[in-house]
Amino acid sequence: VSVLCVATGLSIRGSQEEDPPDPQLMRLDNMLLAEGVAGPEKGGGSAASAAAAAAAGGAADSSIEHSDYRAKLTQIRQIYHTELEKYEQACNEFTTHVMNLLREQSRTRPISPKEIERMVGIIHRKFSSIQMQLKQSTCEAVMILRSRFLDARRKRRNFSKQATEILNEYFYSHLSNPYPSEEAKEELAKKCSITVSQGVGSTITVSQVSNWFGNKRIRYKKNIGKFQEEANLYAAKTAVNAAHAVAAAVQNSQANSPTTPNSGFQMKDEEFQLDSAESKNTLLTNMFTGGYPAPCYQSDGRIQ
DNA sequence: GGGCATGATTACGG
DNA sequence: CCGTAATCATGCCC
């Protein structure tokens, strides 16, 4: 009986503290702890993963795919824990099994406590090496997850259709001055995130909006022709929106003549002549006089 | 797999 | 810091 006690006693600490605290194992343990895989359940886990996310990249703005990341992380953690438990249990069972065998043998030959201890030691070493493997592969999984989801270094996911719709709508309705203010960017970011929220949970940040507009401006400017169709589409769309919004105000639309020239958009510090409201109005009058939406674009993308 | 679209990053200028 | 321009790396469609 006392032998069993020794066995279980060893099994409890056998896994964690080999007398020389293996540096490799320590490293793995630390990492698992830091990533929130090992350690306390839900609460601590999310906090730890949040910390990990913050450490991984640009603090607040790497909350981009947080929920996704977290889901996968908890999955990993669950697997890790059940496996760990399984090993623990198997180790105990195996130990008692060996103990029983030894006890049986002790009837036919003398067995020293030393030998028993040695046996137990072997078993535990074996199992802890298996555990180590588990920890190693768990670490690997976490690393892969990390690099896949929130490593700062580029990992690109296209915005949702709706998000690009919203951004394009803004871009083309402010074509003459497509430089959203900070507040406007915030609003756009919010709008994009909201309309996307039921999907994969991707959220769009202000800096992403800035990136988007940066890319859009340069690419639009570089090849206006390529974007003509798109421009028409969104101009028409905003015109329709405007039509609904300001239908009552049509009466004084006679004020502006449809001859205002305007070239694409001007580079930054220049004044913009054609305000979005104005452009909407001309489009509006076009709609009402000419019938179908499409405003007139010239070959270089000018509006009227 | 090639090729284009696209989001992110980098280098540089105000 | 905000912008542009170039570039990178990935997504996506053929």
Side-chain angles (χ1 to χ4, degrees), chain A residues 83-273:
Chain A
E83 289 295 298
L84 204 61
E85 213 170 303
K86 221 157 60 181
Y87 289 166
E88 200 92 11
Q89 199 183 332
C91 182
N92 284 340
E93 274 171 20
F94 193 68
T95 309
T96 56
H97 181 65
V98 170
M99 287 291 127
N100 287 338
L101 284 182
L102 283 178
R103 203 156 358 137
E104 228 161 89
Q105 278 192 18
S106 75
R107 280 186 239 145
T108 57
R109 73 179 173 92
I111 292 178
S112 65
K114 195 107 183 206
E115 190 180 342
I116 294 173
E117 206 176 305
R118 203 170 57 85
M119 213 57 189
V120 170
I122 290 171
I123 293 169
H124 283 133
R125 258 191 297 279
K126 201 77 197 160
F127 271 93
S128 65
S129 91
I130 293 174
Q131 252 182 25
M132 176 118 140
Q133 255 172 285
L134 171 67
K135 286 177 181 177
Q136 179 119 35
S137 55
T138 305
C139 275
E140 271 166 33
V142 171
M143 290 307 259
I144 289 168
L145 182 70
R146 248 171 177 268
S147 71
R148 184 120 186 69
F149 277 83
L150 39 71
D151 256 3
R153 194 70 190 166
R154 28 177 143 266
K155 96 123 230 103
R156 190 171 73 72
R157 267 177 73 165
N158 289 352
F159 296 159
S160 71
K161 202 115 195 207
Q162 295 153 318
T164 44
E165 289 265 299
I166 290 166
L167 294 169
N168 271 317
E169 228 165 88
Y170 187 98
F171 180 79
Y172 286 110
S173 65
H174 298 73
L175 197 53
S176 54
N177 186 37
Y179 298 87
S181 65
E182 184 63 23
E183 301 86 61
K185 283 184 201 168
E186 274 167 31
E187 195 159 329
L188 284 168
K190 206 182 298 175
K191 266 207 273 186
C192 290
S193 302
I194 286 168
T195 56
V196 152
S197 64
Q198 89 281 37
V200 203
S202 80
T203 216
I204 290 179
T205 65
V206 172
S207 68
Q208 283 179 296
V209 172
S210 298
N211 284 342
W212 190 91
F213 273 89
N215 283 322
K216 191 72 185 182
R217 281 190 299 260
I218 192 83
R219 282 163 184 164
Y220 179 83
K221 198 180 74 162
K222 230 173 180 167
N223 189 353
I224 292 178
K226 198 169 64 185
F227 289 93
Q228 263 204 59
E229 207 178 327
E230 194 176 79
N232 285 351
L233 205 137
Y234 283 103
K237 189 177 297 194
T238 59
V240 170
N241 287 346
H244 288 213
V246 295
V250 174
Q251 54 202 25
N252 49 6
S253 70
Q254 67 217 17
N256 27 5
S257 78
T259 55
T260 329
N262 182 39
S263 57
F265 65 82
Q266 294 93 14
M267 290 327 269
K268 61 175 152 190
D269 37 40
E270 280 180 33
E271 282 309 313
F272 52 99
Q273 295 299 333

Side-chain angles (χ1 to χ4, degrees), chain A residues 263-301:
Chain A
S263 57
F265 65 82
Q266 294 93 14
M267 290 327 269
K268 61 175 152 190
D269 37 40
E270 280 180 33
E271 282 309 313
F272 52 99
Q273 295 299 333
L274 184 59
D275 191 356
S276 64
E278 248 176 322
S279 104
K280 273 183 212 154
N281 270 346
T282 61
L283 289 172
L284 255 182
T285 54
N286 280 350
M287 260 182 75
F288 287 133
T289 57
Y292 199 63
C296 304
Y297 287 90
Q298 291 168 8
S299 56
D300 61 348

